[in-house]
Amino acid sequence: MQRRMEKVLVVGDGAREHALAWSLSKSGVRVYAMGKHVNPGIKDVVKRTGGDYRLGDYLDPAQAVKTAEEISPDLVVIGPEEPLFRGVSDRLIERGFLTLGAPFKGALIEMRKDIARNIMWKYKIPGRLAFAVFKDLNEALSYIKAMGSVAIKPIRQAGGKGVRVVYSSGQYLEEAREQLARSRLADVVDALANYRDVESGVLVEEAVWGVEYTVQALADGSSVLPFPVVQDNPHAFELGLGPECGGMGTVAPLDYVTEEEQAEAAEILKRTIEAVKLEFGVEYRGVISAQMMLTAYGPTLIEFYSRFGDPEALNVMYLLDDDAYELFTRAASGRLGGLKVGFRGEYTVVKAIAPLGYPVDRAMARGRRFTIDWDIVQREGCYVFFGSAVEDSAGYVTLGSRAVEVLAAGRTPSEAYERAERCATAVRGDGLFYRRDIGSAEYLRSMRDRAEKVRAVYKWRRERGLGGKRIDWAPGAKISVVDYA
């Protein structure tokens, strides 16, 4: 592609940012990067496009602004959520830099789960769940006992961790269930231990069952442009077992989520950026994502993201058959309305490869060496996106989180899966693991069967006008009627 003169500064140093830099490089721009460590993949993109790599603390607005002033980019793209929570986007915009990154008040929909839920109820945004917020854990425990099956979450985004589910008493002896609930509450509080920008608190909401999927979109303050739907897999081990983590792999697109269900998610995102403007007086320009679950209620909002997901960004950046720089610039400058975007007609599977110890023991996961057989990667036509790893003379060394994420594409889901499995074997080292089940025929069949079951229920309910209200009560509290209409 013909080299353009525009400069883009990508903020962040994970696999998501590698994918964003790679996609922007196809637009012909010069890619610059700011990270806490040198990501080998981003470094290659920067070198190939004639940019520069700057080390620095991108969570510090002053350092981010200083780096931007030295580079003078035409566009800044912020990848992770924490810089948004620290006001980095606001400071860059104040200094005149065109920035793709939600303002702090917009990013609150991810940072604060209680704020997001309150906004959804206040503005009657579809996909709502009944919830309550507690600072006193004994009060939370009483509510959990009365509520039945619940999800317990830290009120603040904690890197995708801390979420715990307790099922109704039919699943446990009552005493064992109470002990489990206490343990889960303690886990959630522990997840907030390293954050000083919120008071400790837990959000308890009704638990739902179904198929999870993510709809990511660009927002320009008034409209949204959704990307193909992606399914993330947030549990560390196969069959969806083990602790929650940043995500061990993704599949996209999904033939078991209908166009109508995807459209409902896009409408939730559009209604949300409108609500943010009414509530906080700011235009939401950046990326907004809905982690959804197809449930007996229909498409239901589990959480918002104020950025692309990781690994979900990899799938949509590969599938994008358009100019990423043009799209990002239009979103950041409020000019997305009416734009048509092309996507490849392929299927994609991403496998995250992590060191043993992840996500529970980062010290154990740090310092593991690995190599990549690039001949296999090239032969299979796959892509390797670097995450928490650095390069040295003998290969690569893990930094404690997901080391690399391998993307494979194919004309069919099975072709993409088989290619991803072969490419995953190219990453070799002591103490690495990945999930072989993600994208397999059995995996896709189970998701499709589950989607069909919950779809039959919610459509039956909608046809008969049922499921619009529920009774919410806890000991010592008034009976309230929760109206989902």
Side-chain angles (χ1 to χ4, degrees):
M1 176 175 284
Q2 184 176 357
R3 182 67 57 83
R4 295 159 64 164
M5 296 304 294
E6 292 96 332
K7 296 186 287 185
V8 181
L9 172 60
V10 176
V11 176
D13 46 30
R16 166 184 46 221
E17 290 73 45
H18 183 183
L20 293 172
W22 170 78
S23 186
L24 285 162
S25 73
K26 295 194 296 178
S27 299
V29 300
R30 285 182 285 170
V31 177
Y32 291 71
M34 181 183 187
K36 295 181 182 180
H37 72 271
V38 177
N39 178 302
I42 298 176
K43 178 184 176 182
D44 287 346
V45 173
V46 165
K47 182 178 180 181
R48 176 164 48 82
T49 62
D52 192 18
Y53 205 121
R54 304 293 177 88
L55 289 175
D57 182 4
Y58 53 72
L59 301 182
D60 182 347
Q63 285 196 43
V65 167
K66 182 175 183 293
T67 300
E69 288 176 340
E70 292 171 351
I71 294 170
S72 190
D74 297 279
L75 175 69
V76 181
V77 177
I78 300 176
E81 67 273 18
E82 283 296 332
L84 306 176
F85 301 165
R86 307 291 181 92
V88 170
S89 178
D90 302 71
R91 287 286 296 275
L92 287 165
I93 292 170
E94 287 170 6
R95 297 305 294 265
F97 294 103
L98 186 64
T99 302
L100 185 76
F104 168 71
K105 289 183 177 179
L108 281 172
I109 63 167
E110 175 178 11
M111 180 182 176
R112 291 289 299 271
K113 297 178 177 67
D114 53 338
I115 290 176
R117 287 296 183 204
N118 279 319
I119 285 177
M120 290 188 75
W121 281 98
K122 179 176 180 178
Y123 294 95
K124 296 187 179 300
I125 297 171
R128 305 188 296 278
L129 288 172
F131 78 101
V133 177
F134 300 93
K135 294 181 181 178
D136 186 298
L137 296 189
N138 288 322
E139 291 181 6
L141 185 61
S142 295
Y143 185 80
I144 291 167
K145 288 180 179 179
M147 188 81 164
S149 297
V150 297
I152 309 170
K153 303 178 179 182
I155 60 170
R156 187 198 194 277
Q157 168 64 267
K161 302 167 188 65
V163 178
R164 298 290 185 267
V165 177
V166 177
Y167 291 102
S168 63
S169 55
Q171 300 286 334
Y172 312 102
L173 295 174
E174 190 61 29
E175 183 178 347
R177 182 175 184 272
E178 181 173 338
Q179 292 175 354
L180 179 67
R182 289 185 183 278
S183 173
R184 294 291 192 253
L185 286 166
D187 291 343
V188 169
V189 171
D190 287 345
L192 287 172
N194 295 324
Y195 298 97
R196 300 287 179 263
D197 50 7
V198 296
E199 294 182 23
S200 182
V202 298
L203 181 145
V204 182
E205 64 187 22
E206 57 184 312
V208 285
W209 180 90
V211 176
E212 289 194 49
Y213 57 101
T214 306
V215 176
Q216 305 166 100
L218 292 174
D220 69 353
S222 59
S223 60
V224 297
L225 194 160
F227 288 84
V229 64
V230 183
Q231 183 162 56
D232 184 28
N233 294 271
H235 291 275
F237 307 134
E238 295 188 15
L239 303 178
L241 301 176
E244 288 203 353
C245 61
M248 289 300 294
T250 42
V251 178
L254 309 178
D255 61 7
Y256 44 86
V257 179
T258 67
E259 290 184 6
E260 292 79 9
E261 290 158 354
Q262 295 177 47
E264 286 191 39
E267 178 63 17
I268 288 171
L269 293 176
K270 185 175 187 300
R271 294 274 297 276
T272 299
I273 67 168
E274 293 170 350
V276 164
K277 188 171 184 178
L278 291 171
E279 188 74 9
F280 300 121
V282 298
E283 288 198 342
Y284 194 112
R285 294 183 180 180
V287 181
I288 182 170
S289 304
Q291 183 189 353
M292 304 291 297
M293 183 178 284
L294 192 64
T295 74
Y297 293 117
T300 302
L301 190 285
I302 302 301
E303 286 185 351
F304 288 112
Y305 302 145
S306 54
R307 35 74 191 186
F308 285 113
D310 186 352
E312 297 100 316
L314 279 59
N315 304 78
V316 296
M317 288 299 101
Y318 174 84
L319 291 171
L320 178 64
D321 192 19
D322 221 309
D323 189 320
Y325 175 75
E326 177 72 13
L327 290 181
F328 292 174
T329 300
R330 281 179 171 270
S333 56
R335 298 183 294 114
L336 276 180
L339 191 65
K340 301 295 183 182
V341 179
F343 296 100
R344 301 188 193 199
E346 297 178 71
Y347 293 89
T348 57
V349 173
V350 171
K351 303 277 185 172
I353 300 176
L356 289 177
Y358 175 80
V360 178
D361 187 343
R362 296 299 179 96
M364 178 181 176
R366 196 174 296 119
R368 294 184 178 273
R369 295 189 172 276
F370 67 97
T371 60
I372 299 174
D373 188 330
W374 292 105
D375 289 338
I376 293 177
V377 174
Q378 184 175 12
R379 183 175 70 240
E380 296 294 339
C382 296
Y383 298 85
V384 176
F385 295 94
F386 284 86
S388 181
V390 292
E391 189 174 13
D392 71 3
S393 58
Y396 306 97
V397 182
T398 64
L399 297 178
S401 188
R402 294 162 296 173
V404 297
E405 295 168 15
V406 176
L407 179 145
R411 293 166 296 178
T412 64
S414 61
E415 184 180 334
Y417 169 74
E418 290 164 6
R419 186 169 288 160
E421 283 292 298
R422 291 193 295 269
C423 284
T425 66
V427 184
R428 300 165 181 167
D430 177 34
L432 300 178
F433 73 97
Y434 71 96
R435 282 183 55 176
R436 290 173 172 80
D437 61 326
I438 296 171
S440 68
E442 295 80 7
Y443 167 100
L444 294 173
R445 184 164 50 250
S446 68
M447 295 300 171
R448 191 173 294 108
D449 290 346
R450 187 183 300 183
E452 289 174 357
K453 288 177 182 177
V454 295
R455 183 175 295 118
V457 175
Y458 90 73
K459 284 188 173 293
W460 184 88
R461 283 179 164 178
R462 287 184 177 184
E463 288 168 359
R464 290 158 179 78
L466 302 175
K469 294 182 180 180
R470 62 164 283 172
I471 303 299
D472 193 16
W473 175 82
K478 294 181 179 179
I479 295 176
S480 61
V481 178
V482 181
D483 188 349
Y484 295 95

